[in-house]
Short mmCIF file of all heavy atoms in Angstrom, two decimals:
data_model
loop_
_atom_site.label_atom_id
_atom_site.label_comp_id
_atom_site.label_asym_id
_atom_site.label_seq_id
_atom_site.Cartn_x
_atom_site.Cartn_y
_atom_site.Cartn_z
N MET G 223 -54.98 -89.76 39.67
CA MET G 223 -56.04 -90.73 39.94
C MET G 223 -55.90 -91.96 39.06
O MET G 223 -55.74 -91.85 37.86
CB MET G 223 -57.40 -90.09 39.69
CG MET G 223 -58.15 -89.79 40.97
SD MET G 223 -59.89 -89.50 40.65
CE MET G 223 -59.83 -88.10 39.58
N LYS G 224 -56.01 -93.07 39.70
CA LYS G 224 -55.99 -94.31 38.93
C LYS G 224 -57.44 -94.71 38.63
O LYS G 224 -58.21 -94.98 39.53
CB LYS G 224 -55.29 -95.41 39.69
CG LYS G 224 -53.80 -95.16 39.85
CD LYS G 224 -53.15 -96.32 40.57
CE LYS G 224 -51.64 -96.09 40.70
NZ LYS G 224 -50.98 -97.17 41.44
N ASN G 225 -57.76 -94.74 37.39
CA ASN G 225 -59.13 -95.05 37.01
C ASN G 225 -59.16 -96.10 35.91
O ASN G 225 -59.89 -96.03 34.95
CB ASN G 225 -59.84 -93.78 36.54
CG ASN G 225 -61.33 -94.04 36.41
OD1 ASN G 225 -61.88 -94.90 37.08
ND2 ASN G 225 -61.98 -93.30 35.53
N TYR G 226 -58.30 -97.08 36.05
CA TYR G 226 -58.30 -98.15 35.07
C TYR G 226 -58.25 -99.49 35.79
O TYR G 226 -57.78 -99.59 36.92
CB TYR G 226 -57.12 -98.02 34.11
CG TYR G 226 -55.77 -98.03 34.80
CD1 TYR G 226 -55.13 -99.24 35.07
CD2 TYR G 226 -55.14 -96.84 35.14
CE1 TYR G 226 -53.90 -99.26 35.70
CE2 TYR G 226 -53.90 -96.86 35.77
CZ TYR G 226 -53.30 -98.06 36.05
OH TYR G 226 -52.08 -98.09 36.66
N LYS G 227 -58.75 -100.49 35.15
CA LYS G 227 -58.72 -101.82 35.71
C LYS G 227 -57.53 -102.58 35.16
O LYS G 227 -57.06 -102.32 34.07
CB LYS G 227 -60.00 -102.57 35.34
CG LYS G 227 -61.24 -101.97 35.97
CD LYS G 227 -62.47 -102.72 35.54
CE LYS G 227 -63.72 -102.08 36.15
NZ LYS G 227 -64.94 -102.76 35.67
N VAL G 228 -57.07 -103.51 35.96
CA VAL G 228 -55.96 -104.36 35.52
C VAL G 228 -56.48 -105.77 35.36
O VAL G 228 -57.22 -106.27 36.19
CB VAL G 228 -54.82 -104.32 36.54
CG1 VAL G 228 -53.73 -105.32 36.16
CG2 VAL G 228 -54.25 -102.92 36.63
N TYR G 229 -56.09 -106.38 34.29
CA TYR G 229 -56.46 -107.78 34.08
C TYR G 229 -55.22 -108.57 33.74
O TYR G 229 -54.18 -108.02 33.40
CB TYR G 229 -57.51 -107.93 32.98
CG TYR G 229 -57.02 -107.56 31.60
CD1 TYR G 229 -56.50 -108.53 30.76
CD2 TYR G 229 -57.07 -106.25 31.16
CE1 TYR G 229 -56.05 -108.21 29.50
CE2 TYR G 229 -56.62 -105.91 29.90
CZ TYR G 229 -56.11 -106.89 29.06
OH TYR G 229 -55.66 -106.58 27.82
N ILE G 230 -55.34 -109.87 33.86
CA ILE G 230 -54.21 -110.74 33.57
C ILE G 230 -54.47 -111.46 32.25
O ILE G 230 -55.51 -112.09 32.08
CB ILE G 230 -54.00 -111.74 34.71
CG1 ILE G 230 -53.64 -110.99 35.99
CG2 ILE G 230 -52.91 -112.75 34.35
CD1 ILE G 230 -53.49 -111.87 37.20
N CYS G 231 -53.53 -111.36 31.37
CA CYS G 231 -53.66 -111.99 30.06
C CYS G 231 -53.90 -113.50 30.22
O CYS G 231 -53.19 -114.17 30.95
CB CYS G 231 -52.40 -111.75 29.24
SG CYS G 231 -52.38 -112.62 27.68
N VAL G 232 -54.90 -114.00 29.52
CA VAL G 232 -55.26 -115.40 29.62
C VAL G 232 -54.11 -116.30 29.14
O VAL G 232 -53.89 -117.39 29.65
CB VAL G 232 -56.52 -115.69 28.78
CG1 VAL G 232 -56.86 -117.15 28.78
CG2 VAL G 232 -57.68 -114.87 29.30
N THR G 233 -53.36 -115.80 28.19
CA THR G 233 -52.32 -116.63 27.58
C THR G 233 -51.00 -116.56 28.33
O THR G 233 -50.44 -117.59 28.72
CB THR G 233 -52.09 -116.19 26.13
OG1 THR G 233 -53.32 -116.33 25.42
CG2 THR G 233 -51.02 -117.06 25.47
N CYS G 234 -50.48 -115.37 28.57
CA CYS G 234 -49.12 -115.25 29.12
C CYS G 234 -49.11 -114.85 30.59
O CYS G 234 -48.05 -114.81 31.20
CB CYS G 234 -48.31 -114.27 28.29
SG CYS G 234 -48.84 -112.56 28.48
N LYS G 235 -50.27 -114.55 31.15
CA LYS G 235 -50.42 -114.23 32.57
C LYS G 235 -49.78 -112.91 32.97
O LYS G 235 -49.61 -112.63 34.15
CB LYS G 235 -49.84 -115.35 33.47
CG LYS G 235 -50.28 -116.74 33.08
CD LYS G 235 -51.77 -116.91 33.17
CE LYS G 235 -52.17 -118.37 32.90
NZ LYS G 235 -53.62 -118.54 32.79
N ASN G 236 -49.44 -112.08 32.02
CA ASN G 236 -48.94 -110.76 32.34
C ASN G 236 -50.09 -109.81 32.66
O ASN G 236 -51.19 -109.95 32.13
CB ASN G 236 -48.15 -110.20 31.16
CG ASN G 236 -46.80 -110.86 31.02
OD1 ASN G 236 -46.24 -111.34 31.99
ND2 ASN G 236 -46.29 -110.90 29.80
N LYS G 237 -49.81 -108.85 33.52
CA LYS G 237 -50.83 -107.86 33.85
C LYS G 237 -50.90 -106.78 32.77
O LYS G 237 -49.89 -106.33 32.26
CB LYS G 237 -50.51 -107.22 35.21
CG LYS G 237 -50.70 -108.16 36.36
CD LYS G 237 -50.43 -107.44 37.67
CE LYS G 237 -50.63 -108.38 38.85
NZ LYS G 237 -50.30 -107.70 40.12
N ASN G 238 -52.12 -106.38 32.48
CA ASN G 238 -52.34 -105.34 31.49
C ASN G 238 -53.49 -104.45 31.95
O ASN G 238 -54.32 -104.87 32.75
CB ASN G 238 -52.70 -105.95 30.14
CG ASN G 238 -51.71 -107.01 29.71
OD1 ASN G 238 -50.67 -106.70 29.16
ND2 ASN G 238 -52.03 -108.26 29.98
N ASN G 239 -53.57 -103.25 31.41
CA ASN G 239 -54.75 -102.44 31.70
C ASN G 239 -55.79 -102.62 30.61
O ASN G 239 -55.50 -103.11 29.52
CB ASN G 239 -54.38 -100.98 31.90
CG ASN G 239 -53.91 -100.35 30.61
OD1 ASN G 239 -54.63 -100.34 29.62
ND2 ASN G 239 -52.70 -99.82 30.62
N ASN G 240 -57.01 -102.23 30.93
CA ASN G 240 -58.12 -102.58 30.05
C ASN G 240 -58.28 -101.65 28.86
O ASN G 240 -59.28 -101.69 28.16
CB ASN G 240 -59.42 -102.67 30.84
CG ASN G 240 -59.82 -101.32 31.41
OD1 ASN G 240 -59.08 -100.35 31.29
ND2 ASN G 240 -60.99 -101.25 32.01
N GLN G 241 -57.30 -100.81 28.62
CA GLN G 241 -57.34 -100.00 27.41
C GLN G 241 -56.90 -100.80 26.20
O GLN G 241 -57.00 -100.35 25.07
CB GLN G 241 -56.43 -98.78 27.57
CG GLN G 241 -56.94 -97.82 28.63
CD GLN G 241 -55.99 -96.67 28.87
OE1 GLN G 241 -54.86 -96.68 28.39
NE2 GLN G 241 -56.43 -95.68 29.60
N ASN G 242 -56.42 -101.98 26.47
CA ASN G 242 -55.95 -102.82 25.38
C ASN G 242 -57.11 -103.36 24.56
O ASN G 242 -58.07 -103.89 25.09
CB ASN G 242 -55.14 -103.98 25.98
CG ASN G 242 -54.35 -104.71 24.92
OD1 ASN G 242 -54.88 -105.10 23.89
ND2 ASN G 242 -53.09 -104.91 25.18
N GLU G 243 -57.00 -103.22 23.26
CA GLU G 243 -58.10 -103.65 22.39
C GLU G 243 -58.21 -105.17 22.30
O GLU G 243 -59.20 -105.69 21.80
CB GLU G 243 -57.90 -103.07 21.00
CG GLU G 243 -56.68 -103.63 20.28
CD GLU G 243 -56.52 -103.03 18.89
OE1 GLU G 243 -57.36 -103.32 18.04
OE2 GLU G 243 -55.56 -102.27 18.67
N PHE G 244 -57.20 -105.87 22.78
CA PHE G 244 -57.19 -107.33 22.65
C PHE G 244 -57.70 -108.03 23.90
O PHE G 244 -57.58 -109.23 24.03
CB PHE G 244 -55.80 -107.83 22.30
CG PHE G 244 -55.29 -107.27 21.00
CD1 PHE G 244 -54.28 -106.33 20.99
CD2 PHE G 244 -55.85 -107.68 19.80
CE1 PHE G 244 -53.81 -105.81 19.79
CE2 PHE G 244 -55.39 -107.16 18.60
CZ PHE G 244 -54.36 -106.22 18.59
N TYR G 245 -58.23 -107.27 24.85
CA TYR G 245 -58.79 -107.85 26.06
C TYR G 245 -59.63 -109.08 25.75
O TYR G 245 -60.42 -109.05 24.83
CB TYR G 245 -59.66 -106.79 26.76
CG TYR G 245 -60.34 -107.28 28.01
CD1 TYR G 245 -59.71 -107.18 29.24
CD2 TYR G 245 -61.61 -107.86 27.95
CE1 TYR G 245 -60.33 -107.64 30.39
CE2 TYR G 245 -62.23 -108.33 29.09
CZ TYR G 245 -61.58 -108.21 30.31
OH TYR G 245 -62.18 -108.67 31.44
N PRO G 246 -59.52 -110.19 26.49
CA PRO G 246 -58.73 -110.37 27.70
C PRO G 246 -57.28 -110.82 27.46
O PRO G 246 -56.68 -111.44 28.33
CB PRO G 246 -59.50 -111.45 28.44
CG PRO G 246 -60.03 -112.31 27.33
CD PRO G 246 -60.33 -111.36 26.18
N PHE G 247 -56.76 -110.49 26.32
CA PHE G 247 -55.37 -110.81 26.05
C PHE G 247 -54.55 -109.52 26.01
O PHE G 247 -55.10 -108.44 25.88
CB PHE G 247 -55.25 -111.54 24.72
CG PHE G 247 -56.17 -112.72 24.63
CD1 PHE G 247 -57.34 -112.65 23.90
CD2 PHE G 247 -55.88 -113.89 25.30
CE1 PHE G 247 -58.21 -113.72 23.84
CE2 PHE G 247 -56.75 -114.98 25.25
CZ PHE G 247 -57.91 -114.88 24.52
N CYS G 248 -53.23 -109.65 26.09
CA CYS G 248 -52.39 -108.47 26.12
C CYS G 248 -52.01 -108.02 24.72
O CYS G 248 -51.62 -106.89 24.51
CB CYS G 248 -51.14 -108.72 26.96
SG CYS G 248 -49.99 -109.90 26.24
N SER G 249 -52.15 -108.90 23.76
CA SER G 249 -51.70 -108.57 22.41
C SER G 249 -52.35 -109.50 21.40
O SER G 249 -52.95 -110.51 21.75
CB SER G 249 -50.19 -108.71 22.31
OG SER G 249 -49.83 -110.06 22.50
N LYS G 250 -52.21 -109.13 20.15
CA LYS G 250 -52.74 -109.97 19.09
C LYS G 250 -52.08 -111.34 19.12
O LYS G 250 -52.72 -112.37 18.87
CB LYS G 250 -52.49 -109.30 17.74
CG LYS G 250 -53.10 -110.07 16.56
CD LYS G 250 -52.86 -109.30 15.26
CE LYS G 250 -53.58 -109.99 14.11
NZ LYS G 250 -53.06 -111.35 13.85
N LYS G 251 -50.79 -111.36 19.46
CA LYS G 251 -50.06 -112.62 19.52
C LYS G 251 -50.70 -113.58 20.52
O LYS G 251 -50.95 -114.75 20.22
CB LYS G 251 -48.61 -112.34 19.91
CG LYS G 251 -47.77 -113.59 20.00
CD LYS G 251 -46.36 -113.24 20.45
CE LYS G 251 -45.55 -114.50 20.68
NZ LYS G 251 -44.20 -114.18 21.18
N CYS G 252 -50.97 -113.08 21.71
CA CYS G 252 -51.58 -113.93 22.73
C CYS G 252 -52.99 -114.36 22.33
O CYS G 252 -53.41 -115.47 22.61
CB CYS G 252 -51.60 -113.20 24.07
SG CYS G 252 -50.00 -113.19 24.87
N ARG G 253 -53.71 -113.48 21.70
CA ARG G 253 -55.04 -113.84 21.25
C ARG G 253 -54.96 -114.97 20.21
O ARG G 253 -55.73 -115.92 20.24
CB ARG G 253 -55.73 -112.62 20.64
CG ARG G 253 -57.20 -112.86 20.32
CD ARG G 253 -57.86 -111.64 19.78
NE ARG G 253 -57.26 -111.24 18.52
CZ ARG G 253 -57.64 -110.17 17.82
NH1 ARG G 253 -58.59 -109.40 18.28
NH2 ARG G 253 -57.06 -109.88 16.69
N ASP G 254 -54.03 -114.85 19.31
CA ASP G 254 -53.87 -115.88 18.28
C ASP G 254 -53.43 -117.21 18.89
O ASP G 254 -53.86 -118.28 18.45
CB ASP G 254 -52.84 -115.43 17.24
CG ASP G 254 -53.40 -114.32 16.37
OD1 ASP G 254 -54.62 -114.07 16.42
OD2 ASP G 254 -52.61 -113.70 15.64
N ILE G 255 -52.58 -117.14 19.89
CA ILE G 255 -52.14 -118.36 20.57
C ILE G 255 -53.32 -119.06 21.21
O ILE G 255 -53.51 -120.26 21.09
CB ILE G 255 -51.07 -118.03 21.63
CG1 ILE G 255 -49.77 -117.63 20.95
CG2 ILE G 255 -50.83 -119.24 22.55
CD1 ILE G 255 -48.73 -117.08 21.91
N ASP G 256 -54.15 -118.27 21.88
CA ASP G 256 -55.32 -118.83 22.53
C ASP G 256 -56.28 -119.42 21.51
O ASP G 256 -56.81 -120.51 21.70
CB ASP G 256 -56.02 -117.75 23.35
CG ASP G 256 -57.11 -118.34 24.22
OD1 ASP G 256 -56.75 -118.96 25.23
OD2 ASP G 256 -58.29 -118.21 23.88
N LEU G 257 -56.47 -118.70 20.43
CA LEU G 257 -57.36 -119.19 19.38
C LEU G 257 -56.88 -120.53 18.83
O LEU G 257 -57.65 -121.46 18.65
CB LEU G 257 -57.44 -118.15 18.25
CG LEU G 257 -58.32 -118.53 17.07
CD1 LEU G 257 -59.77 -118.70 17.52
CD2 LEU G 257 -58.24 -117.47 15.98
N SER G 258 -55.59 -120.62 18.59
CA SER G 258 -55.05 -121.87 18.04
C SER G 258 -55.17 -123.01 19.04
O SER G 258 -55.35 -124.17 18.66
CB SER G 258 -53.60 -121.67 17.61
OG SER G 258 -52.80 -121.31 18.71
N LYS G 259 -55.10 -122.68 20.33
CA LYS G 259 -55.29 -123.72 21.34
C LYS G 259 -56.72 -124.26 21.29
O LYS G 259 -56.94 -125.47 21.38
CB LYS G 259 -55.00 -123.17 22.73
CG LYS G 259 -53.53 -122.97 22.97
CD LYS G 259 -53.30 -122.46 24.39
CE LYS G 259 -51.83 -122.20 24.63
NZ LYS G 259 -50.99 -123.39 24.48
N TRP G 260 -57.67 -123.34 21.14
CA TRP G 260 -59.05 -123.77 21.01
C TRP G 260 -59.21 -124.65 19.78
O TRP G 260 -59.87 -125.69 19.82
CB TRP G 260 -59.99 -122.56 20.90
CG TRP G 260 -60.33 -121.96 22.22
CD1 TRP G 260 -59.85 -120.79 22.75
CD2 TRP G 260 -61.22 -122.49 23.21
NE1 TRP G 260 -60.39 -120.58 23.99
CE2 TRP G 260 -61.24 -121.60 24.30
CE3 TRP G 260 -62.00 -123.64 23.27
CZ2 TRP G 260 -62.01 -121.81 25.44
CZ3 TRP G 260 -62.77 -123.86 24.41
CH2 TRP G 260 -62.78 -122.95 25.47
N LEU G 261 -58.62 -124.23 18.70
CA LEU G 261 -58.78 -124.98 17.46
C LEU G 261 -58.16 -126.37 17.57
O LEU G 261 -58.60 -127.32 16.95
CB LEU G 261 -58.11 -124.21 16.31
CG LEU G 261 -58.81 -122.90 15.94
CD1 LEU G 261 -58.02 -122.18 14.85
CD2 LEU G 261 -60.23 -123.15 15.47
N ASN G 262 -57.15 -126.48 18.39
CA ASN G 262 -56.48 -127.77 18.56
C ASN G 262 -57.04 -128.57 19.73
O ASN G 262 -56.55 -129.63 20.06
CB ASN G 262 -54.98 -127.55 18.77
CG ASN G 262 -54.32 -127.07 17.50
OD1 ASN G 262 -54.60 -127.58 16.42
ND2 ASN G 262 -53.43 -126.10 17.61
N GLU G 263 -58.05 -128.01 20.38
CA GLU G 263 -58.68 -128.67 21.52
C GLU G 263 -57.66 -129.04 22.60
O GLU G 263 -57.67 -130.11 23.17
CB GLU G 263 -59.45 -129.91 21.07
CG GLU G 263 -60.60 -129.55 20.13
CD GLU G 263 -61.40 -130.78 19.72
OE1 GLU G 263 -60.80 -131.82 19.44
OE2 GLU G 263 -62.63 -130.67 19.71
N GLU G 264 -56.77 -128.10 22.86
CA GLU G 264 -55.75 -128.33 23.87
C GLU G 264 -55.90 -127.34 25.02
O GLU G 264 -54.93 -126.93 25.64
CB GLU G 264 -54.36 -128.18 23.25
CG GLU G 264 -54.08 -129.27 22.23
CD GLU G 264 -52.72 -129.06 21.58
OE1 GLU G 264 -52.12 -127.99 21.78
OE2 GLU G 264 -52.27 -129.97 20.89
N TYR G 265 -57.10 -126.93 25.28
CA TYR G 265 -57.29 -125.86 26.23
C TYR G 265 -57.64 -126.37 27.61
O TYR G 265 -57.91 -125.62 28.53
CB TYR G 265 -58.41 -124.94 25.71
CG TYR G 265 -58.36 -123.56 26.32
CD1 TYR G 265 -57.41 -122.64 25.94
CD2 TYR G 265 -59.29 -123.19 27.31
CE1 TYR G 265 -57.35 -121.39 26.50
CE2 TYR G 265 -59.25 -121.94 27.87
CZ TYR G 265 -58.29 -121.05 27.46
OH TYR G 265 -58.23 -119.80 28.03
N ALA G 266 -57.62 -127.65 27.82
CA ALA G 266 -58.13 -128.23 29.05
C ALA G 266 -57.27 -127.87 30.27
O ALA G 266 -57.77 -127.56 31.33
CB ALA G 266 -58.23 -129.73 28.91
N ILE G 267 -55.97 -127.90 30.12
CA ILE G 267 -55.07 -127.70 31.25
C ILE G 267 -54.53 -126.28 31.24
O ILE G 267 -53.49 -125.99 30.70
CB ILE G 267 -53.91 -128.72 31.21
CG1 ILE G 267 -54.46 -130.14 31.10
CG2 ILE G 267 -53.06 -128.57 32.46
CD1 ILE G 267 -53.37 -131.18 30.92
N GLU G 268 -55.30 -125.40 31.86
CA GLU G 268 -54.99 -123.98 31.76
C GLU G 268 -53.70 -123.62 32.51
O GLU G 268 -53.01 -122.69 32.15
CB GLU G 268 -56.16 -123.19 32.32
CG GLU G 268 -56.06 -121.71 32.00
CD GLU G 268 -57.33 -120.98 32.37
OE1 GLU G 268 -58.26 -121.64 32.86
OE2 GLU G 268 -57.38 -119.78 32.16
N ASP G 269 -53.39 -124.34 33.54
CA ASP G 269 -52.20 -124.01 34.33
C ASP G 269 -50.90 -124.36 33.61
O ASP G 269 -49.83 -123.99 34.06
CB ASP G 269 -52.23 -124.76 35.66
CG ASP G 269 -53.28 -124.18 36.59
OD1 ASP G 269 -53.64 -123.00 36.39
OD2 ASP G 269 -53.70 -124.89 37.49
N ASN G 270 -51.02 -125.07 32.53
CA ASN G 270 -49.82 -125.60 31.89
C ASN G 270 -49.57 -125.01 30.52
O ASN G 270 -48.79 -125.54 29.75
CB ASN G 270 -49.97 -127.12 31.74
CG ASN G 270 -48.87 -127.85 32.47
OD1 ASN G 270 -47.95 -127.22 32.99
ND2 ASN G 270 -48.93 -129.17 32.49
N ILE G 271 -50.20 -123.89 30.23
CA ILE G 271 -50.16 -123.35 28.87
C ILE G 271 -48.74 -122.92 28.48
O ILE G 271 -48.20 -123.34 27.49
CB ILE G 271 -51.13 -122.17 28.72
CG1 ILE G 271 -52.55 -122.70 28.81
CG2 ILE G 271 -50.90 -121.47 27.39
CD1 ILE G 271 -53.57 -121.60 28.80
N ILE G 272 -48.16 -122.08 29.30
CA ILE G 272 -46.85 -121.54 28.95
C ILE G 272 -45.88 -121.68 30.10
O ILE G 272 -46.17 -121.30 31.23
CB ILE G 272 -46.94 -120.06 28.54
CG1 ILE G 272 -47.63 -119.95 27.19
CG2 ILE G 272 -45.58 -119.41 28.51
CD1 ILE G 272 -47.75 -118.54 26.70
N GLU G 273 -44.74 -122.24 29.84
CA GLU G 273 -43.66 -122.27 30.81
C GLU G 273 -42.71 -121.13 30.50
O GLU G 273 -42.09 -121.09 29.44
CB GLU G 273 -42.90 -123.61 30.70
CG GLU G 273 -43.71 -124.79 31.17
CD GLU G 273 -43.65 -124.94 32.69
OE1 GLU G 273 -42.64 -124.54 33.26
OE2 GLU G 273 -44.61 -125.47 33.26
N GLN G 274 -42.58 -120.20 31.41
CA GLN G 274 -41.64 -119.11 31.20
C GLN G 274 -40.23 -119.63 31.42
O GLN G 274 -39.92 -120.23 32.42
CB GLN G 274 -41.92 -117.97 32.18
CG GLN G 274 -43.28 -117.34 31.99
CD GLN G 274 -43.28 -116.35 30.83
OE1 GLN G 274 -42.25 -116.11 30.20
NE2 GLN G 274 -44.43 -115.80 30.54
N LYS G 275 -39.37 -119.35 30.43
CA LYS G 275 -38.00 -119.85 30.55
C LYS G 275 -37.02 -118.68 30.64
O LYS G 275 -37.28 -117.64 30.10
CB LYS G 275 -37.67 -120.73 29.36
CG LYS G 275 -38.50 -122.00 29.35
CD LYS G 275 -38.17 -122.85 28.13
CE LYS G 275 -39.04 -124.11 28.16
NZ LYS G 275 -38.83 -124.93 26.95
ZN1 ZN P 282 -50.32 -112.06 26.83
#
C-alpha cells in the first residue's frame, strides 16, 4: 500500500516523499539555498532558480 504523499522540492524541483524532515525541501542544502534567496531578495522569478546542467 502506498500511503505517502509526494511533493516537489521548492528549490531543485525533485520529487520527494513527505517523510523528509526538511519539507517542503528535499534536503538541508535546498532549504539553505531557499533561505539565502529570501535573504538576498532574489525570490521573485521562481521559474529561473536553478538551471540543471
Ligand atoms: Zn531539493
Side-chain angles (χ1 to χ4, degrees):
M223 253 197 300
K224 292 182 178 178
N225 191 27
Y226 58 87
K227 294 178 182 177
V228 174
Y229 67 93
I230 296 177
C231 174
V232 176
T233 301
C234 70
K235 313 299 185 188
N236 286 333
K237 290 183 179 177
N238 309 277
N239 68 58
N240 65 355
Q241 294 175 349
N242 193 310
E243 66 179 293
F244 299 109
Y245 178 89
F247 308 102
C248 68
S249 65
K250 184 178 185 296
K251 180 183 174 183
C252 283
R253 188 178 63 181
D254 288 348
I255 289 171
D256 189 75
L257 179 62
S258 60
K259 286 182 183 299
W260 278 106
L261 292 176
N262 290 317
E263 297 182 318
E264 293 178 349
Y265 201 74
I267 307 174
E268 192 171 0
D269 288 337
N270 239 355
I271 291 175
I272 289 181
E273 291 277 332
Q274 296 280 358
K275 294 178 180 176

